[in-house]
Amino acid sequence: MCGIVGYIGDKPAALILLEGLKRLEYRGYDSAGIAVYNNNMIKIEKTKGKLADLENKLEGRYPEGSLGIGHTRWATHGKPSDINAHPHTDCTHDIVVVHNGIIENYQQIKEWLQKQGHKFETETDTETVPHLIEHFYNGDLLEAVKKALKKIEGSFALGIISKNEPDKIIAARKDSPLIVGIGDGENYIASDIPAVLEYTKKVYILEDDQMAVVKKDEIKLINFDGEEVDKEIFEVKWDAVAAEKGGYPHFMIKEINEQPKALKDTMTGRLNFDDVEIKLDDIKLTPEDISDIQKIFIVACGTAYHAGIVGKNVIEKLTKVPVEVDIASEYRYRDPMVDDKTLVIIISQSGETADTLAALRESKKRGARIIAITNVVGSSVSREAEEVLYTWAGPEIAVASTKAYSTQLAALYMLGLDLAIKKQTISKEYALEIMQELKQLPEKAEHCLKNADTVKELAYKYAEWEDAFFIGRGLDYAVALEGALKLKEISYIHAEAYPAGELKHGTLALIVDGVPVIALATQKSLYEKTLSNIKEVKAREASVIAVAFEGDNEITKSVDHVIYIPKTLPFLAPVLTVIPLQLFAYHAAVARGCDVDKPRNLAKSVTVE
């Protein structure tokens, strides 16, 4: 998830680009750059770090010119560095590109172009795009771009300029957001509306497989085949602050709603249905490596730890290898039984969590093989782990983690499947069934979000309570832990999660008339037992909200309210069951007047022990 911006008109482009990027920095902040055309050359200025680092580098000496594109990056391919920062160019530096998205087949394109004599300078997937356009360029930039797009697989929002045709910006979209801002004698492109809101409230919102040829006095909208497209002008009603949040009142609810896309991005290019295999970037575990693994540890903190609890269930079920999940702050102080026959999976959204990083180093010292699951390319965890599986969730601004959790689950499912397929502990038919259900999760997550009004109504109904309880069995209990954490950290309601089977061992003493109990009931093999536990709390006059699969009418006889989620394999239910729990926590916090994005006493990344 990156931010791109472009300007063409009569004003100094550099200042407009930098101002637009400031409005998009929430989309990425590990490097930034601008490219401005002037006097038959394109001047590129870029650097690792935040936008402020780029401004400091420029020291007020901005490139001159009235045509330009800019980029603020959240790294996917290639670590954050000056050279990997956008914009990127072709061999001649005539064609310049900024890109948001992932080019899935970049390696094949790169190898093919290298055979044609192209020289590459960066580690990025994006650099293939200007070289591909250069390959097809024969005096018509638009035609070259159209031919290049036919070769590209993946997601992209592209901004393209050429010193040979300095009267235009070409923009193209597939599965990544892109808008065109409409000015008077000047026009704009951007990943999101905030970048242009200072200059215009009129925009075209491009849809998938659409392009724009943007000149200072003209905007031409076409599809990838070159056919003209008619679109209505969208008039923005929000202010600049609301626009950064996409019209949402808080980053947290925006990020909850981004989960379908984050899930899709994290799985894109990694599920190979033809060969029934999982392609996990640079992770090179061979069947021989896997046969040597006698034990697996999953180590993390907070929400990532809760993802790890799901991961333990998943990986044990698939691989038949014993898995321990440990809180990172406890792990290295208990002399863990780790050696060269151990695989340690480290999970950290930021890749900078101090306790998790210390656990990684301790595991390496003991000879374990390390795989990191993180959302930040170039983070300390990603640099120090032997192998890394990235989640493509994009920046997460709200302190309470939401899309990071769901994408960590997706990563754990894929890692578990990869191990099991290679270890041959599951059949190819079962692996394919799981893969097909994984592919459907983004759409089903979108369906879960359509229940937001129902969840909001329940959250407001119970927001005044100072206690709440979450119960479940098996994977439902694992998700209950995350649901309770979300509620307590942003609404300050005292919330606890318990295995439903433990109620009679003390927890029932806490149940009083009317107290809200959120009961998860998606695990088929444990369903009757869970139902029995629900009846136990109902007998003590609790108000029970159940989360269950669509079509489950039996549960309505035993609870006060039901939130339904789409059917999937019970094994994959955690990805969906967590969404109504996130929504419940969010709306309860709003009802109580809490600062949702910045809960008291908490920070986004815990970088001290």
Side-chain angles (χ1 to χ4, degrees):
M1 184 169 169
C2 306
I4 70 174
V5 64
Y7 172 78
I8 185 167
D10 295 318
K11 296 173 184 172
L15 293 174
I16 293 171
L17 296 176
L18 289 168
E19 192 60 38
L21 291 176
K22 287 177 185 177
R23 298 289 189 185
L24 295 179
E25 198 167 16
Y26 68 90
R27 296 181 63 87
Y29 36 77
D30 60 43
S31 59
I34 59 174
V36 178
Y37 171 84
N38 190 39
N39 291 331
N40 201 36
M41 67 173 292
I42 298 175
K43 177 71 170 174
I44 295 176
E45 296 284 358
K46 58 184 184 176
T47 188
K48 174 185 175 182
K50 295 189 176 183
L51 195 60
D53 297 303
L54 178 61
E55 291 183 306
N56 291 337
K57 178 183 177 182
L58 293 172
E59 294 182 332
R61 296 189 292 272
Y62 302 119
E64 295 182 359
S66 300
L67 164 68
I69 52 178
H71 189 273
T72 180
R73 184 175 188 236
W74 183 260
T76 54
H77 297 72
K79 64 186 177 183
S81 66
D82 290 354
I83 193 68
N84 287 333
H86 296 217
H88 292 300
T89 70
D90 64 334
C91 295
T92 62
H93 290 207
D94 290 348
I95 297 167
V96 182
V97 170
V98 289
H99 167 226
N100 171 28
I102 298 171
I103 308 299
E104 292 175 28
N105 61 334
Y106 84 98
Q107 194 62 49
Q108 299 97 300
I109 294 173
K110 183 174 181 179
E111 290 170 2
W112 178 71
L113 287 168
Q114 286 172 326
K115 289 176 182 176
Q116 312 301 313
H118 290 260
K119 305 294 184 185
F120 285 77
E121 299 177 351
T122 79
E123 303 168 296
T124 69
D125 57 330
T126 300
E127 194 187 359
T128 59
V129 179
H131 285 281
L132 197 57
I133 296 169
E134 177 192 14
H135 175 80
F136 289 116
Y137 188 72
N138 191 25
D140 188 328
L141 183 62
L142 177 59
E143 284 303 311
V145 172
K146 283 159 55 179
K147 289 177 181 178
L149 294 181
K150 292 184 185 300
K151 299 288 186 182
I152 294 172
E153 297 173 9
S155 60
F156 51 80
L158 295 167
I160 304 154
I161 60 174
S162 170
K163 79 171 190 180
N164 298 317
E165 300 183 37
D167 64 333
K168 64 175 70 75
I169 302 171
I170 294 181
R173 171 193 168 147
K174 184 176 185 295
D175 293 330
S176 291
L178 193 61
I179 62 104
V180 179
I182 306 165
D184 184 8
E186 57 187 9
N187 291 305
Y188 315 81
I189 68 165
S191 293
D192 209 348
I193 289 169
V196 303
L197 201 51
E198 182 178 340
Y199 312 105
T200 180
K201 290 183 178 292
K202 296 181 178 181
V203 301
Y204 291 119
I205 300 175
L206 296 188
E207 297 174 26
D208 284 347
D209 301 326
Q210 290 184 345
M211 303 172 65
V213 181
V214 182
K215 300 182 178 182
K216 71 175 189 176
D217 293 311
E218 178 188 10
I219 298 169
K220 183 179 180 181
L221 304 177
I222 59 176
N223 62 26
F224 284 5
D225 293 322
E227 300 165 335
E228 288 201 35
V229 174
D230 288 325
K231 294 190 75 67
E232 290 186 9
I233 294 173
F234 178 75
E235 295 220 21
V236 184
K237 306 296 184 184
W238 320 315
D239 61 20
V241 174
E244 282 187 17
K245 299 170 184 171
Y248 292 104
H250 301 95
F251 277 110
M252 182 181 175
I253 189 64
K254 177 176 182 283
E255 289 159 7
I256 289 172
N257 279 275
E258 287 174 345
Q259 286 177 112
K261 183 179 186 303
L263 285 165
K264 182 178 179 181
D265 288 349
T266 296
M267 293 187 288
T268 292
R270 289 169 166 170
L271 303 176
N272 183 347
F273 292 93
D274 292 337
D275 298 321
V276 192
E277 66 176 2
I278 309 297
K279 300 170 69 175
L280 297 181
D281 306 333
D282 296 324
I283 295 176
K284 305 299 183 187
L285 279 168
T286 66
E288 293 72 28
D289 294 332
I290 295 166
S291 66
D292 285 341
I293 295 170
Q294 296 179 359
K295 189 175 186 180
I296 298 172
F297 273 91
I298 301 175
V299 185
C301 297
T303 286
Y305 168 71
H306 292 157
I309 296 173
V310 175
K312 167 186 165 65
N313 283 267
V314 167
I315 294 172
E316 281 188 340
K317 177 181 176 66
L318 292 175
T319 68
K320 312 305 179 189
V321 176
V323 180
E324 283 194 41
V325 59
D326 226 327
I327 295 171
S329 58
E330 296 289 333
Y331 174 79
R332 65 192 173 110
Y333 295 115
R334 67 174 187 82
D335 193 20
M337 304 294 286
V338 173
D339 57 23
D340 60 358
K341 302 291 186 185
T342 307
L343 172 65
V344 176
I345 301 169
I346 297 288
I347 311 175
S348 170
Q349 186 279 141
S350 68
E352 302 294 346
T353 311
D355 288 316
T356 307
L357 193 56
L360 184 159
R361 291 167 179 162
E362 180 67 23
S363 300
K364 283 182 77 172
K365 189 166 69 176
R366 292 170 182 251
R369 184 169 188 154
I370 311 294
I371 292 177
I373 295 174
T374 184
N375 194 39
V376 183
V377 176
S379 60
S380 297
V381 162
S382 71
R383 292 196 306 271
E384 297 193 29
E386 293 162 279
E387 295 162 302
V388 185
L389 177 55
Y390 289 108
T391 57
W392 302 132
E396 198 175 56
I397 307 301
V399 168
S401 187
T402 52
K403 61 180 179 174
Y405 174 83
S406 52
T407 53
Q408 285 163 1
L409 293 186
L412 286 162
Y413 283 119
M414 289 188 293
L415 180 56
L417 266 175
D418 183 52
L419 295 172
I421 291 167
K422 290 173 178 173
K423 198 168 185 281
Q424 297 184 352
T425 48
I426 61 173
S427 68
K428 285 206 168 186
E429 290 75 17
Y430 184 46
L432 187 60
E433 181 185 2
I434 296 171
M435 290 167 64
Q436 288 167 339
E437 284 292 328
L438 277 171
K439 186 181 179 182
Q440 293 179 42
L441 284 179
E443 183 181 343
K444 292 181 179 181
E446 192 76 56
H447 186 80
C448 289
L449 292 167
K450 292 178 181 177
N451 288 328
D453 288 343
T454 300
V455 179
K456 178 180 178 180
E457 184 179 332
L458 291 171
Y460 272 70
K461 179 179 177 69
Y462 294 105
E464 295 307 311
W465 277 85
E466 294 303 322
D467 299 285
F469 300 100
F470 292 71
I471 62 172
R473 285 176 174 260
L475 286 171
D476 281 337
Y477 169 58
V479 182
L481 288 165
E482 175 61 11
L485 175 61
K486 283 286 122 356
L487 187 61
K488 72 178 77 171
E489 70 180 330
I490 61 168
S491 75
Y492 317 139
I493 295 172
H494 170 242
E496 297 296 337
Y498 296 101
E502 285 292 293
L503 287 170
K504 288 189 284 289
H505 296 274
T507 309
L508 275 174
L510 298 172
I511 303 301
V512 296
D513 188 3
V515 69
V517 174
I518 294 87
L520 280 62
T522 68
Q523 299 304 297
K524 185 177 179 180
S525 63
L526 295 164
Y527 182 81
E528 294 300 330
K529 293 184 181 297
T530 301
L531 210 55
S532 176
N533 300 139
I534 289 171
K535 290 174 181 177
E536 288 176 339
V537 295
K538 273 304 296 174
R540 277 109 184 139
E541 304 300 333
S543 295
V544 180
I545 303 167
V547 180
F549 285 134
E550 290 174 345
D552 182 355
N553 297 319
E554 182 65 25
I555 202 163
T556 60
K557 302 171 186 176
S558 304
V559 301
D560 298 276
H561 317 277
V562 184
I563 300 169
Y564 286 113
I565 62 170
K567 284 185 178 179
T568 186
L569 296 175
F571 176 69
L572 300 177
V575 177
L576 304 180
T577 49
V578 76
I579 294 173
L581 305 189
Q582 295 167 344
L583 290 167
F584 187 88
Y586 170 78
H587 289 297
V590 171
R592 291 165 69 92
C594 301
D595 188 345
V596 173
D597 287 337
K598 297 178 181 178
R600 67 188 182 205
N601 305 329
L602 300 178
K604 182 64 184 169
S605 181
V606 183
T607 56
V608 294
E609 189 174 353

